[in-house]
Amino acid sequence: MHMFDIDKLTIMVPGAVREILKTLHDAGYEAYIVGGCVRDAILGLEPKDWDITTSALPEQVKSLFSNTVDTGIQHGTVMVIKYGIGYEVTTYRIDGDYKDGRHPENVTFTRSLAEDLKRRDFTINAFAYSPEKGVVDMFDGLEDLDNRLIRCVGDPNARFSEDALRIMRAVRFSAQLSFKIETVTLAAIGRHVQNLSNVSMERIRVEFEKTLLSDHPEKAGQYASLGMGRFIVPDEALVKKCFDDEIADCYHKISGTDEEKKVLRLAAFFHNLTAEETKRALKLMKYDNRTIKLVSGIIQFKDKNVEAEKSAVKKALHKQGEELFALVLRYRELILNIPADEIRTILKQIMDAEEPYEISHLAVSGTDLIEAGIPKGELVGETLNMLLNQVIDNPDLNHREVLLGLIAKQRG
Ligand code: ATP
Ligand code: MG
């Protein structure tokens, strides 16, 4: 007898989703919510999205709803829009051969829910539910939920040969849910790690990132212990310095917005690399320029001490920029245990008083300097920097006449 009694499980399905199920039902088709949303709802977690699976063919789905978008019609997916929100409705399907271990050569639509559930990766991802039929649990997923286990649907060796991304997903779900990977599935992972060479960096990265952002980010260590590290950071010398267990125990301290969490946890992951190495690693991982800039910036400045004093803080702000400065402060506080409150107080004073710390804050521009007789070229920039240094030390100087006076005096 397990904790989740299949006969007593009722899921609070949102109204819009209920309507979609009913419309399909009334037209004579089968329809269920399926996959991650059923898993999360049973666990008492808030589902991220509500996916629907149906015996209706894509064209039949489209004919039943006034507002649909063809988001993945070749795979049988139609997005139905209800009250401004999109819900993916996918026709029951069987995945064809995975010739390259990457994506199915073709998909075949089927009238059998069982066939559709069989193609799914893990038992806890293979539930269907409808208000009439309750939970459909063909692979003892409820028992695995109860025992907190990630287990493949069917033969793990076959499933990982079809699509090696499932290896990454196993670790990802184990981190998100704090589940263990069941032993037979775990053994098969060991045998199929090599197949990850057929999976694109983009797909690998998505799973790695979800692991790093999960509530148990330390479980990312499994990637290294299971031999997957070099598929995540595809450079032998760099990956050796990542996956530091001691740092991994600090990942969970990093909270904030999704982006703050992402860049700070990535920086922690690259803690033992130089800024240049971090850039190289992130490029290999096909990260966007903004992420590369912020993460390598955190690494570049994390070990630079800033005096708790206005001029020093303004100079650091000038060098790092406001956004990076705040991130570096957080990083030092959370990962290096360096108190940041004193600097934050000074930072607030600078911001509240709108004290200048950038060239653009100066009361004179490059054009002003040229008009004042400074020849076009490098000297303009040098002079602006010289003025900024003086203004950083003494904000009272930041007036047009005063600054032009300073230049006149210097030029003798
Ligand atoms: P999340 O909460 O991250 O959205 P999820 O379980 O919904 O988790 P998705 O990646 O959105 O995961 O996929 C939806 C469902 O599709 C899964 O629950 C699973 O049933 C199936 N699925 C997704 N990817 C695979 C795959 N590579 N192999 C087999 N089944 C998969
Ligand atoms: Mg999902």
Side-chain angles (χ1 to χ4, degrees):
M1 181 63 208
H2 45 74
M3 207 165 76
F4 302 109
D5 185 345
I6 194 159
D7 298 321
K8 295 204 182 107
L9 281 169
T10 309
I11 293 176
M12 292 298 168
V13 182
V17 178
R18 239 169 233 277
E19 281 178 40
I20 296 171
L21 294 177
K22 184 169 186 315
T23 302
L24 287 160
H25 223 156
D26 290 351
Y29 303 109
E30 295 175 15
Y32 297 84
I33 56 170
V34 71
C37 62
V38 184
R39 174 200 69 221
D40 288 346
I42 296 172
L43 286 171
L45 306 170
E46 179 73 37
K48 285 182 263 321
D49 36 38
W50 297 85
D51 296 329
I52 293 156
T53 188
T54 180
S55 59
L57 293 169
E59 289 305 323
Q60 296 168 326
V61 173
K62 283 168 73 172
S63 72
L64 287 172
F65 298 95
S66 54
N67 197 353
T68 66
V69 184
D70 293 359
T71 45
I73 200 130
Q74 68 281 21
H75 302 113
T77 303
V78 171
M79 183 180 277
V80 174
I81 317 277
K82 280 264 175 195
Y83 313 113
I85 297 175
Y87 300 91
E88 295 206 322
V89 179
T90 305
T91 304
Y92 292 166
R93 66 173 213 227
I94 304 168
D95 291 344
D97 286 348
Y98 284 72
K99 289 223 175 72
D100 55 0
R102 223 175 301 179
H103 25 61
E105 294 291 292
N106 48 64
V107 304
T108 317
F109 299 135
T110 162
R111 305 288 280 179
S112 154
L113 173 66
E115 289 291 339
D116 183 85
L117 295 179
K118 231 160 76 182
R119 73 173 168 88
R120 295 174 183 274
D121 48 6
F122 305 113
T123 60
I124 59 162
N125 286 350
F127 299 115
Y129 174 89
S130 77
E132 299 78 21
K133 298 267 168 67
V135 174
V136 179
D137 173 23
M138 291 187 37
F139 307 101
D140 296 330
L142 286 176
E143 201 174 314
D144 288 336
L145 272 191
D146 209 19
N147 296 320
R148 309 177 73 79
L149 288 176
I150 310 290
R151 180 199 311 267
C152 280
V153 169
D155 170 19
N157 289 306
R159 304 315 307 281
F160 292 140
S161 326
E162 285 166 4
D163 180 7
L165 185 74
R166 292 170 187 156
I167 295 174
M168 293 287 302
R169 287 170 60 86
V171 174
R172 186 256 279 197
F173 287 114
S174 89
Q176 286 181 325
L177 303 168
S178 190
F179 279 26
K180 280 216 169 90
I181 301 172
E182 175 276 330
T183 45
V184 179
T185 297
L186 191 63
I189 288 180
R191 281 193 288 274
H192 290 86
V193 164
Q194 215 27 262
N195 298 25
L196 274 171
S197 61
N198 296 322
V199 180
S200 75
M201 177 49 82
E202 284 82 354
R203 292 178 82 205
I204 289 177
R205 200 190 70 207
V206 166
E207 299 301 327
F208 169 69
E209 205 177 290
K210 285 187 175 175
T211 305
L212 202 60
L213 294 182
S214 72
D215 286 346
H216 292 275
E218 72 286 352
K219 293 224 178 195
Q222 290 175 102
Y223 289 125
S225 58
L226 293 167
M228 289 181 240
R230 68 205 166 86
F231 297 102
I232 296 167
V233 182
D235 180 305
E236 200 93 26
L238 298 181
V239 73
K240 267 206 302 230
K241 295 192 246 175
C242 303
F243 295 105
D244 179 327
D245 286 338
E246 216 173 298
I247 301 286
D249 285 333
C250 302
Y251 290 153
H252 74 275
K253 293 189 208 163
I254 298 170
S255 58
T257 65
D258 284 354
E259 197 191 33
E260 282 166 358
K261 240 169 102 172
K262 180 175 93 175
V263 298
L264 287 164
R265 288 189 183 187
L266 276 172
F269 179 69
F270 293 123
H271 184 85
N272 300 327
L273 268 52
T274 64
E276 276 314 306
E277 289 173 332
T278 302
K279 262 188 212 161
R280 192 142 51 86
L282 288 164
K283 275 193 192 136
L284 288 169
M285 295 170 82
K286 305 222 162 92
Y287 266 104
D288 56 286
N289 289 336
R290 179 175 159 79
T291 305
I292 295 177
K293 198 178 108 209
L294 291 176
V295 177
S296 64
I298 295 168
I299 296 293
Q300 184 182 350
F301 294 112
K302 71 178 167 45
D303 299 315
K304 305 259 190 302
N305 271 312
V306 175
E307 297 262 343
E309 174 267 319
K310 268 190 173 180
S311 294
V313 171
K314 281 187 275 188
K315 282 182 184 139
L317 273 172
H318 174 51
K319 245 203 202 121
Q320 304 177 21
E322 201 185 322
E323 185 177 35
L324 186 56
F325 185 81
L327 287 168
V328 171
L329 219 52
R330 285 281 305 286
Y331 190 90
R332 286 166 62 83
E333 189 175 40
L334 298 174
I335 305 297
L336 304 177
N337 290 317
I338 300 170
D341 284 346
E342 214 181 339
I343 301 227
R344 274 202 196 97
T345 306
I346 294 168
L347 180 64
K348 188 168 181 319
Q349 288 165 0
I350 293 168
M351 294 300 169
D352 286 351
E354 295 185 28
E355 289 186 28
Y357 60 83
E358 273 182 13
I359 300 283
S360 65
H361 300 159
L362 284 175
V364 292
S365 68
T367 319
D368 294 328
L369 298 193
I370 293 164
E371 277 169 15
I374 292 186
K376 274 189 195 172
E378 271 177 30
L379 195 56
V380 175
E382 283 169 22
T383 310
L384 286 171
N385 275 320
M386 180 275 289
L387 290 176
L388 180 62
N389 271 325
Q390 302 212 28
V391 163
I392 280 180
D393 289 334
N394 182 2
D396 291 340
L397 298 177
N398 199 22
H399 298 282
R400 196 182 146 83
E401 314 75 56
V402 178
L403 297 182
L404 290 175
L406 276 175
I407 296 165
K409 201 162 93 193
Q410 208 197 26
R411 287 167 59 80

